[in-house]
């Protein structure tokens, strides 16, 4: 019998990396500091204490290259990690491409996405600091589910503000968070000042990630036993996600290959950074030379069409100011189906790295993404979440270019989650009811005058 | 650093079994033959030809102990197989039991359940026989999704009759089948004689598995290019599922343990048989001695309260007669949430094995099952499909008995699928809107006079 092709490169639990990688010390220059929203002076660790426990703040500003993963976190990671690295043979065959397409599959986590890589350590460090309850926002629901899961395992309370449009459209998302014991509110809610103000103007307000963040922060900040948890954007979140790239490096070593091109989708930037940073370390050290490409939706194109400037992380202006690629903190994106990519800003660390020219960026319209998703599901079997379909669409573009050129490129992507709770967006696509009209509007680049003014 | 406990026992793709196990030649007596529905004489292979391709009919009546898995099927299995064997440490700790609870997790398949273990070979053998289209029924939707997935990978057409109540309640299930390219109809439908007759009496008829089978069979039988595929009950289906138990045997050998108790849920019997048969082979050979226990819902208790008699597999009486534990082919179970367990009969092979005293059976009410599911999700992280929560509830009963007795029993179960598309039933449970009232009715045991009369 001929040798069958190997579909999955697996690692044993004992091979799981035991440290996260912090890219900051390896960059040619450090990222600009966050600023206090009142004084607009560089924010110190103490400015973050009302929101985050000391251990996470230390990680946020750390210049250590490697940070140990606590044993209790490793133990929970091992419920699903190391995650498999797949070779997409059937997709390659369907495309007729000489390219080799690999994807790291993070949908194997119990909550269904890469978000558990950071929700578990965030819950752990909060518990260590004596915190008994976490608040957060969620858009598509992947982050809220991941935090509810983590809190459940540490026996902590979890309260989630879910973006109104998503709350109305996806009752199953809410139920899954409740299965993990969380309390879920539609945002904007009457529970916060920020929410009440918006509801007064529009009782059926569809909400946004920025608004939901304002609400979760407003509830957490004044209560010493409650803290807030953010699912993307911040340095410590991207740090926790580097386990994806560290595992992928080990898996590529096992098969004796190196990627020529690394592709990930970006909303806040965490799954992309988590995959890319360990490979970027190797590239900066001159050991490999992959092209690294971020893919965002044309309807929320912070990297490709936003400005690089200091802006708030939330709509109400409660968070520190961060220098990032932003569409403006009051930007409300059109209701695209990839809710996890509907954020006005980009991770400041990733923005800085983009500004340094170390990564590329590309925007893709959603109908192309869903066409890619269908082709992927019908060849590889996995139904992807709407967010990573952006990366899949970019992989397929590249694989078809290789078909033209004859190049045998090795492409690596991350399939950040499954789409089992996002089937309503597939229904919209299959029924022909999905369009790309939002691409035509021209309201993306905010005027610098509209952004918070920073003294020199 | 102390050694962390191993959560998953993994096998490499190269360690995946390459044969299915047929238990028939190892039984003390062969199961009674199926009968032709017209003549009521033993049915020959030719009686099945309008429905199934020759290779599957051969497997249905085979007395070979081992049957090779075709390479093309192995290749697709390896998209998700071998499946992990988990130790449920956190559940054990929450229960405070000295028992060790293991579960084989089949929810890792792209379609989300064990059903792909048989949908892939069924599609393969049909394609080999020149068939271009398969029809089937689906209740909860797991089987329809699995067949749609398999047909998609072999580029075949797939047409699914989904039980009306499930079709109305679960639009996402339909969408997932459509993502894989299937056509999905609400059953009863106007497309068949059987459907039209029922709709005439009740336009909003909620349907049943037996009715949907009648419709799928009616469409397939007269067309030489179309065949029917069944997701449970038949010998060849249970045969394909034995890869679950064969892998579990290898995984237990790796950790040097043997199960004292094997527990699985039963609707048609396939995930239970698939896990149990390889262990039963070892038990019949005197090498191990586990107790083997089937768990069914109190609202559809074919093994524990049905009669053992010849009955039809479908409502309209189109299928061959099979000797099995049955509640009567016109039994319409109450709408319990575990749609995959709402079948009036039990696999004839499993019924025979139960009659021989080789396995035990137990019925569990659904609220106990959902309570078990919540405890499982909040400790192990995985949200189970409603069907295997029956097995989980029985595992927890046993683990709590071990807590009383101090016994360190090794319990093995199969978690046959995830519940990501079944969250509406969790919503019903969490809202307090789920009851066990159907337990009180007394309509289970059909009178033998109501069943098809078989001449001696």
């Amino acid at each position: 019998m001929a040798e069958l092709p190997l579909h999955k490169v697996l690692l044993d639990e004992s091979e799981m990396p035991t440290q996260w990688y912090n890219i900051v010390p390896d960059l040619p220059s450090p990222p600009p500091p966050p600023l206090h929203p009142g004084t607009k002076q560089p924010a110190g660790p103490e400015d973050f204490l009302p929101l985050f426990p000391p251990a996470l703040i230390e990680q946020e500003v750390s210049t250590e290259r490697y940070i140990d993963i606590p044993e209790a976190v490793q133990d929970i990671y091992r419920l699903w990690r190391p995650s498999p690295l797949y070779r997409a043979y059937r997709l390659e065959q369907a495309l007729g491409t000489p390219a080799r397409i690999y994807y790291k599959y993070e949908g194997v986590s119990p909550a269904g996405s890469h978000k558990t890589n950071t929700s578990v350590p965030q819950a752990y460090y909060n518990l260590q600091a004596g915190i008994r309850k976490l608040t957060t926002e969620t858009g598509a629901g992947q982050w809220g589910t991941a935090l509810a899961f983590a809190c459940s395992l540490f026996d902590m309370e979890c309260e989630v503000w879910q973006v109104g449009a998503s709350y109305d459209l996806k009752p199953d998302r809410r139920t899954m968070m409740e299965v993990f014991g969380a309390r879920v509110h539609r945002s904007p809610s009457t529970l916060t000042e920020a929410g009440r103000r918006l509801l007064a103007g529009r009782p059926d307000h569809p909400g946004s990630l920025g608004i939901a963040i304002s609400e979760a922060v407003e509830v957490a900040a004044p209560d010493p036993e409650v803290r807030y948890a953010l699912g993307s954007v911040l340095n410590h979140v991207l740090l926790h996600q580097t386990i994806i790239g560290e595992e992928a490096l080990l898996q590529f070593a096992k098969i004796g290959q190196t990627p020529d091109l690394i592709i990930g989708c970006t909303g806040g930037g965490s799954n992309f950074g988590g995959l890319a940073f360990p490979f970027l370390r190797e590239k900066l050290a001159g050991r490999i030379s992959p092209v690294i490409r971020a893919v965002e939706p044309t309807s929320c194109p912070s990297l490709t069409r936003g400005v690089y400037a200091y802006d708030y992380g939330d709509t109400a202006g409660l968070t520190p100011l961060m220098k990032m690629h932003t569409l403006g903190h009051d930007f409300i994106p059109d209701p695209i189906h990839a809710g996890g990519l509907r954020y006005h800003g980009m991770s400041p660390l990733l923005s800085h790295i983009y500004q340094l020219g170390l990564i590329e960026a590309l925007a893709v319209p959603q109908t192309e993404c869903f066409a890619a998703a269908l082709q992927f599901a019908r060849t590889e079997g996995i139904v992807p979440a709407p967010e990573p379909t952006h990366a899949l669409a970019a992989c397929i573009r590249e694989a078809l270019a290789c078909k033209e050129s004859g190049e045998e490129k090795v492409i690596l992507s991350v399939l950040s989650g499954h789409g089992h709770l996002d089937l309503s967006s597939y229904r919209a696509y299959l029924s022909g009811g999905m369009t790309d009209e939002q691409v035509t509007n021209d309201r993306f680049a905010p005027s610098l005058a509209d952004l918070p003014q920073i003294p020199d």
Side-chain angles (χ1 to χ4, degrees), chain A residues 92-107:
Chain A
E92 292 170 17
Q93 283 161 15
L95 296 169
T97 180
R100 280 165 283 173
I101 303 173
Y102 290 89
Y103 61 95
K104 184 81 171 150
Y105 184 39
E106 293 292 309

Side-chain angles (χ1 to χ4, degrees), chain A residues 185-272:
Chain A
H185 310 291
R186 187 187 189 283
S187 171
S189 76
T190 56
L191 299 167
T192 67
E193 187 55 41
R196 285 188 294 268
R197 202 162 46 229
L198 289 160
L199 287 173
R202 185 176 170 187
D204 65 341
H205 199 297
S208 75
L209 269 181
I211 295 167
I213 294 173
S214 293
E215 295 204 280
V217 165
E218 186 184 321
V219 168
D223 189 331
E225 296 196 345
V226 180
R227 290 289 180 279
Y228 165 73
L230 188 67
S232 191
V233 176
L234 297 179
N235 297 355
H236 68 268
V237 178
L238 273 62
L239 172 79
H240 300 154
Q241 295 294 353
T242 58
I243 192 158
I244 301 173
E246 294 290 8
E247 284 181 4
L249 275 168
L250 296 175
Q251 287 163 316
F252 269 95
K254 278 207 172 185
I255 53 173
Q257 297 191 25
T258 37
D260 300 306
L261 175 61
I262 293 170
I263 295 179
C265 69
T266 45
S270 78
N271 87 82
F272 174 80

Side-chain angles (χ1 to χ4, degrees), chain A residues 13-252:
Chain A
E13 290 177 28
S14 61
E15 296 173 283
M16 191 181 78
T18 58
Q19 296 185 310
W20 295 299
Y21 167 58
N22 177 19
I23 199 171
V24 173
D26 285 335
L27 294 176
S29 68
L35 304 182
H36 188 281
T39 66
K40 296 180 180 168
Q41 294 300 308
E46 67 283 1
D47 292 319
F48 292 94
L49 277 173
L51 291 181
F52 302 116
L56 289 177
I57 298 172
E58 268 171 46
Q59 293 180 359
E60 188 64 21
V61 300
S62 173
T63 53
E64 291 295 314
R65 187 172 276 109
Y66 293 100
I67 292 175
D68 288 340
I69 306 175
E71 275 193 32
V73 173
Q74 288 185 46
D75 185 52
I76 295 181
Y77 274 0
R78 289 164 70 154
L79 286 174
W80 73 95
R81 302 209 73 88
S83 70
L85 176 74
Y86 270 91
R87 168 111 182 247
Y89 281 104
R90 286 168 196 276
L91 177 61
E92 292 170 17
Q93 283 161 15
L95 296 169
T97 180
R100 280 165 283 173
I101 303 173
Y102 290 89
Y103 61 95
K104 184 81 171 150
Y105 184 39
E106 293 292 309
V108 293
S109 96
S113 81
H114 69 293
K115 297 284 187 183
T116 46
N117 296 332
T118 186
S119 70
V120 173
Q122 288 194 49
Y124 170 80
Y125 289 119
N126 273 287
L127 187 64
Q128 293 300 105
I131 301 302
R132 290 282 157 193
K133 175 173 166 178
L134 292 175
T135 69
T136 199
E137 77 292 335
T138 199
Q142 297 276 24
W143 168 241
T145 308
L147 192 67
F149 159 79
C151 287
S152 162
L153 265 60
F154 287 117
D155 209 11
M156 297 168 74
E157 281 183 70
C158 181
E159 199 164 355
V160 182
W161 276 261
Q162 186 177 5
V163 173
S166 163
Y167 182 97
D168 297 338
L169 190 67
K170 298 183 168 182
D172 283 353
R173 251 311 161 196
R174 174 185 170 182
T175 300
M176 188 146 171
M177 292 185 263
E178 290 173 346
V179 165
F180 289 129
R183 288 181 60 201
V184 185
H185 310 291
R186 187 187 189 283
S187 171
S189 76
T190 56
L191 299 167
T192 67
E193 187 55 41
R196 285 188 294 268
R197 202 162 46 229
L198 289 160
L199 287 173
R202 185 176 170 187
D204 65 341
H205 199 297
S208 75
L209 269 181
I211 295 167
I213 294 173
S214 293
E215 295 204 280
V217 165
E218 186 184 321
V219 168
D223 189 331
E225 296 196 345
V226 180
R227 290 289 180 279
Y228 165 73
L230 188 67
S232 191
V233 176
L234 297 179
N235 297 355
H236 68 268
V237 178
L238 273 62
L239 172 79
H240 300 154
Q241 295 294 353
T242 58
I243 192 158
I244 301 173
E246 294 290 8
E247 284 181 4
L249 275 168
L250 296 175
Q251 287 163 316
F252 269 95

Side-chain angles (χ1 to χ4, degrees), chain A residues 232-233 265-272 295-297 300 302 340-347:
Chain A
S232 191
V233 176
C265 69
T266 45
S270 78
N271 87 82
F272 174 80
V295 188
E296 58 188 11
C300 197
S302 54
L341 306 184
R342 293 176 77 237
Y343 184 63
H344 67 273
M346 179 51 60
S347 150

